[in-house]
Amino acid sequence: MKFGPAKHFIALLLAAPLLTGCLERGQPTMVDTSADDDAFCRANNVAVGSNEYVNCRKNRDVQRGNANARTDRAQRNLAEQMLNNPVRP
C-alpha cells in the first residue's frame, strides 16, 4: 500500500493548524482602551483638554504600562522557575 506524495501532503495538512500558533508570538494585539480612560477621567467632572484631564489620561497610561510590566515579569519568573525546577514523575 503505497501512497507516495499524497501521504506527505495529508500529514502537512494535519500539522498546519498546529504550526500556525507559532506565528502568534510577540506582542499581543493592542486593545483600544481610550473610551474606558475617557469615561474614567470624565467621571471626576474634569473638562476634556484641561491639565487635569491630560494628567488623568497620562496616569491611566502609566498604570496600564506598569500592569503589563508586572504581568510580563511574572510570566518570565514562572518560565524560569519551571525550567530550573522540572517536575520529574
Side-chain angles (χ1 to χ4, degrees), residues 5-82:
K7 182 170 55 173
H8 297 293
F9 181 72
I10 292 172
L12 181 64
L13 282 178
L14 292 175
L18 300 174
L19 296 175
T20 57
C22 296
L23 298 176
E24 293 296 321
R25 296 191 64 179
Q27 294 295 324
T29 305
M30 297 299 293
V31 177
D32 183 23
T33 57
S34 60
D36 181 46
D37 290 347
D38 185 53
F40 179 83
C41 292
R42 284 180 180 227
N44 297 327
N45 296 327
V46 176
V48 176
S50 67
N51 286 338
E52 292 86 11
Y53 181 81
V54 171
N55 288 335
C56 177
R57 292 292 296 261
K58 190 184 302 184
N59 289 338
R60 295 279 289 185
D61 189 43
V62 168
Q63 290 172 354
R64 186 176 305 105
N66 290 341
N68 287 340
R70 280 191 308 271
T71 303
D72 290 343
R73 189 169 42 253
Q75 182 68 32
R76 280 193 309 274
N77 290 343
L78 177 62
E80 185 174 326
Q81 192 268 336
M82 290 171 69

